[in-house]
């Protein structure tokens, strides 16, 4: 072989090795613990091969369409430049100068205008209520979106004026005391920081090893990028026990969710002997990170990623399926998109994704007597019951409503946060393919989606000081649910 072809073969092999190695080397928990504090700080150097590519509008009439009239070429050029967010580099997504606005939706056409701006990639939607919607406005689009809103007399408040700054401040390193404690504990999980997947999984394995008579861990499947989907069970093994399934981390960027679910796990596992009978008479199943690939991606590359990381159509730039649109009850209905570039992409068919498939297969086949299914999301402070697919409620919705209201009341009495209770479609918006609807369709009576804090001040980027208060008040709410399950 000539030296050129040898060099090319060598380069191809080297590129293959580099690009096929996982972003994070995960070790078997318990064996050789990696150096402490694996929480990657937002400002840490990134080394990743992922690309961030967004669709780019190219036509002047796109802008005319948004503004509903012919606009001068000069202005449309500015807007097109703002929308040209294509990034071929491998850096962490930078939100410097991006803002989050709370937009009043008191007029009928506002949601239409927002969705047009969204389609043109000038903003994206975060959360909202019946009276307002939170939008992320990209820095180069600020002027033009302001112009559109002013022209249309749309009222808005700037809630976050530099999103990257909030991201940088969200998850600071642990102090020296905490680091020392971490070293002594046998696991690295705390509720003072948002932890990487390896810490969460290490914590689960630690509990199984430490309390083998009540705690066990099972890998129920693998994510698309081959990360474990780990379920932790807490049970005293009584055959009469009812069962409750709790998950978190469906949506990658909703970091408060895995933090809260692991807080519950810690409380029940570490204090099982002194727990209430309600808690002890239930078999608890926890899957704290349904979407581990997305979760790691939010730590490594894009803090605001929502979906999983499975490629859509081969060769196309957009990837990721919204796992909460991929479940098989009324799949593909309202509020779910067939466009792989959409944040609410439903996937190619029901249960097309390994994560949703593994979760549903486990619930169907575990043999546990599931009486409640709780799925923790953020944000907005809502306790939502089915149906989500459309404006309808199940026959026993009054039971769901009254238990939900008791949970909300206890949360408020414990920590002060106000949660609104109602059906998903009625209180938020219709969205088909959610795990809650599917769980209800399987006959699990007390099925809820709980949207944790806050109501929009920080949104997804909730500072770590909120973890303990949010988790604590929700633990009190969970106890109310446990009492109900026990009675049922
Ligand atoms: O849209 C969702 O998937 C959930 N909200 S979030 O902001 N966390 O994304 C709400 C899901 C409610 N349930 C159904 N629509 N089935
Ligand atoms: Zn969510």
């Amino acid at each position: 072989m000539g030296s050129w072809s040898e060099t090319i073969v060598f380069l191809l092999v080297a590129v293959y090795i580099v690009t096929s190695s996982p972003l994070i080397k995960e070790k078997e928990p318990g064996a050789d613990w990696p150096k402490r504090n694996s929480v990657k700080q937002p400002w840490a150097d990134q080394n990743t091969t992922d690309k961030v590519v967004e669709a780019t509008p190219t036509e002047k009439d796109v802008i005319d369409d948004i503004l509903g009239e012919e606009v001068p070429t000069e202005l449309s050029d500015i807007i097109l430049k703002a929308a040209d967010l294509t990034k071929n580099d491998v850096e962490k997504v930078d939100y410097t100068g991006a803002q989050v606005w709370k937009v009043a939706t008191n007029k009928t056409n506002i949601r239409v205008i927002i969705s047009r701006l969204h389609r043109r990639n000038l903003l994206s939607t975060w959360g909202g209520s019946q009276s307002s919607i939170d939008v992320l406005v990209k820095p180069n689009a600020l002027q033009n979106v302001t112009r559109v809103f002013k022209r249309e007399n749309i009222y808005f408040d700037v809630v976050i004026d530099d999103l990257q700054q909030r991201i940088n401040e969200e998850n600071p390193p642990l102090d020296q005391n905490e680091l020392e404690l971490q070293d002594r504990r046998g696991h690295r999980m705390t509720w003072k920081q948002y932890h990487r997947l390896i810490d969460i999984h290490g914590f689960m394995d630690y509990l199984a090893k430490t309390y083998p008579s009540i705690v066990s861990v099972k890998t129920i499947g693998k994510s698309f990028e081959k990360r474990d989907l780990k379920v932790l069970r807490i049970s005293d093994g009584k055959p009469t026990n009812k069962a409750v399934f709790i998950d978190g981390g469906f949506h990658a960027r909703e970091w408060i969710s895995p933090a809260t679910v692991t807080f519950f796990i810690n409380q029940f596992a570490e204090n099982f002997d002194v727990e209430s009978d309600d808690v002890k008479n239930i078999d608890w199943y926890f899957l704290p990170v349904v979407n581990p690939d997305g979760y790691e991606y939010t730590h490594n590359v894009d803090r605001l990623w929502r979906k999983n990381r499975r490629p859509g159509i081969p060769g196309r730039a957009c990837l990721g399926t919204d796992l909460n649109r991929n479940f098989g009850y009324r799949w593909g209905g309202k509020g779910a998109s067939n466009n792989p570039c959409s944040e609410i992409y439903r996937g190619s068919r029901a249960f097309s994704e390994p994560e949703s498939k593994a979760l549903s297969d486990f619930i169907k086949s575990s043999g546990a007597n599931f009486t409640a299914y709780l799925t923790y999301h953020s944000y907005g402070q809502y306790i939502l019951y089915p149906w989500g697919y459309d404006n309808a409620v199940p026959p026993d919705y009054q039971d769901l409503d009254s238990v939900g209201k008791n949970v909300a009341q206890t949360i408020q009495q414990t920590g002060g946060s106000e949660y609104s209770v109602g059906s998903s479609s009625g209180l938020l918006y219709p969205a088909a393919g959610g795990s809650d609807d599917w769980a209800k369709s399987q006959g699990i009576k007390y099925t809820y989606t709980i949207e944790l804090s806050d109501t929009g001040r920080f949104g997804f980027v909730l500072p770590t000081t909120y973890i303990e208060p949010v988790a604590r008040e929700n633990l009190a709410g969970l106890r109310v649910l446990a009492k109900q399950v026990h009675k049922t």
Side-chain angles (χ1 to χ4, degrees):
M1 222 195 286
S3 65
W4 270 111
S5 43
E6 268 173 27
T7 313
I8 288 165
V9 169
F10 171 76
L11 282 175
L12 284 174
V13 170
V15 166
Y16 175 76
I17 290 169
V18 169
T19 55
S20 64
S21 54
L23 290 180
I24 302 129
K25 286 215 169 60
E26 294 189 19
K27 292 197 172 142
E28 275 306 305
D32 182 14
W33 288 94
K35 285 261 173 293
R36 74 182 174 197
N37 193 13
S38 62
V39 181
K40 195 136 196 182
Q41 300 309 319
W43 48 86
D45 279 344
Q46 293 305 311
N47 181 18
T48 157
T49 54
D50 286 68
K51 279 186 180 173
V52 181
V53 184
E54 296 187 56
T56 310
T58 50
E59 307 289 346
K60 177 178 174 291
D61 56 7
V62 158
I63 293 123
D64 296 347
D65 174 26
I66 293 167
L67 296 175
E69 63 190 74
E70 185 70 15
V71 290
T73 318
E74 218 183 287
L75 174 56
S76 69
D77 275 345
I78 299 170
I79 300 178
L80 284 177
K81 263 192 212 133
D84 183 11
L85 293 164
T86 305
K87 291 196 182 108
N88 290 316
D89 51 348
V90 292
E91 282 161 26
K92 197 165 191 172
V93 177
D94 184 358
Y95 287 97
T96 302
Q99 298 193 339
V100 179
W101 298 355
K102 197 173 268 303
V103 185
T105 47
N106 50 341
K107 289 197 290 171
T108 43
N109 64 338
I110 293 178
R111 286 178 196 271
V112 176
I113 292 172
I114 286 177
S115 78
R116 278 193 203 147
L117 292 164
H118 187 189
R119 239 179 292 136
R120 306 308 173 218
N121 210 11
L122 294 167
L123 53 71
S124 53
T125 46
W126 264 28
S129 64
Q130 277 157 340
S131 59
S132 69
I133 179 161
D134 300 340
V135 296
L136 188 169
V137 188
K138 301 176 179 173
N140 300 343
L142 286 170
Q143 219 187 2
N144 299 302
V145 180
T146 308
R147 204 173 290 199
V148 173
F149 280 10
K150 288 226 165 108
R151 187 179 295 208
E152 298 290 329
N153 285 323
I154 298 173
Y155 181 79
F156 65 93
D157 259 342
V158 178
V159 184
I160 297 179
D161 72 349
D162 181 359
L163 185 55
Q164 188 58 46
Q165 198 183 327
R166 285 282 160 81
I167 291 173
N168 294 345
E169 291 163 358
E170 179 192 21
N171 197 23
L174 293 173
D175 64 30
Q176 199 52 40
N177 274 349
E178 277 301 323
L179 290 174
E180 277 159 23
L181 269 174
Q182 263 189 326
D183 278 349
R184 273 186 268 140
R185 243 189 324 243
H187 66 79
R188 287 193 313 267
M189 198 61 195
T190 70
W191 290 272
K192 294 181 178 352
Q193 198 169 35
Y194 295 112
H195 287 258
R196 300 296 293 267
L197 188 70
I198 193 169
D199 288 358
I200 296 174
H201 283 175
F203 164 66
M204 294 166 79
D205 290 321
Y206 160 85
L207 291 175
K209 236 186 335 190
T210 310
Y211 307 107
S213 58
I214 51 154
V215 179
S216 51
V217 171
K218 189 176 167 185
T219 296
I220 62 161
K222 298 264 187 194
S223 65
F224 175 74
E225 290 174 353
K226 300 281 175 279
R227 293 186 176 87
D228 285 345
L229 300 168
K230 272 183 192 261
V231 169
L232 180 141
R233 187 179 101 133
I234 303 178
S235 163
D236 64 6
K238 278 199 303 294
T240 50
N241 286 352
K242 302 261 177 41
V244 173
F245 192 96
I246 295 182
D247 66 45
F250 249 85
H251 292 137
R253 63 192 174 189
E254 297 166 9
W255 284 4
I256 188 64
S257 158
T260 299
V261 173
T262 52
F263 186 91
F264 299 159
I265 294 175
N266 190 54
Q267 171 65 32
F268 292 170
E270 293 284 359
N271 307 291
F272 193 78
D273 292 344
V274 293
E275 265 297 346
S276 65
D277 282 347
D278 297 330
V279 169
K280 283 199 272 200
N281 289 331
I282 287 173
D283 293 345
W284 297 93
Y285 291 82
F286 298 95
L287 172 54
V289 192
V290 175
N291 176 11
D293 300 346
Y295 186 70
E296 286 294 287
Y297 193 75
T298 57
H299 282 269
N300 281 326
V301 182
D302 182 355
R303 173 65 190 87
L304 294 171
W305 188 258
R306 168 179 168 96
K307 303 186 283 181
N308 76 350
R309 293 292 304 160
R310 192 159 95 110
I313 299 159
R316 287 269 300 274
C318 295
L319 57 74
T321 293
D322 183 347
L323 295 176
N324 214 27
R325 301 291 181 275
N326 192 239
F327 279 68
Y329 183 72
R330 306 257 178 164
W331 176 83
K334 289 186 182 168
S337 172
N338 62 3
N339 174 4
C341 296
S342 165
E343 292 272 58
I344 49 169
Y345 177 50
R346 66 191 185 184
S348 53
R349 65 195 136 79
F351 298 121
S352 55
E353 307 307 298
E355 299 87 359
S356 50
K357 176 92 173 72
L359 199 170
S360 61
D361 283 350
F362 178 75
I363 287 185
K364 276 191 302 194
S365 66
S366 77
N369 181 12
F370 286 118
T371 308
Y373 168 80
L374 307 179
T375 177
Y376 285 86
H377 287 248
S378 75
Y379 59 94
Q381 295 174 198
Y382 294 104
I383 296 175
L384 305 168
Y385 51 81
W387 301 107
Y389 72 88
D390 209 340
N391 229 323
V393 284
D396 62 347
Y397 84 95
Q398 278 167 335
D399 299 344
L400 295 170
D401 195 71
S402 78
V403 172
K405 283 181 174 142
N406 287 342
V407 171
Q409 198 186 5
T410 299
I411 292 175
Q412 189 175 7
Q413 282 161 357
T414 308
S417 303
E418 277 181 49
Y419 280 65
S420 312
V421 183
S423 74
S424 293
S425 48
L427 221 49
L428 283 189
Y429 38 75
S435 65
D436 47 4
D437 281 6
W438 177 83
K440 185 68 182 164
S441 80
Q442 295 297 297
I444 304 180
K445 184 170 174 78
Y446 291 104
T447 286
Y448 297 95
T449 294
I450 297 168
E451 300 279 357
L452 296 165
S453 291
D454 58 9
T455 53
R457 172 149 153 58
F458 295 99
F460 302 117
V461 193
L462 193 68
T464 50
T465 46
Y466 284 77
I467 298 174
E468 286 192 14
V470 169
R472 208 175 294 286
E473 64 188 4
N474 274 279
L475 174 64
L478 182 58
R479 291 187 190 287
V480 173
L481 194 274
K483 194 178 260 351
Q484 183 62 42
V485 166
H486 196 195
K487 277 200 288 205
T488 305

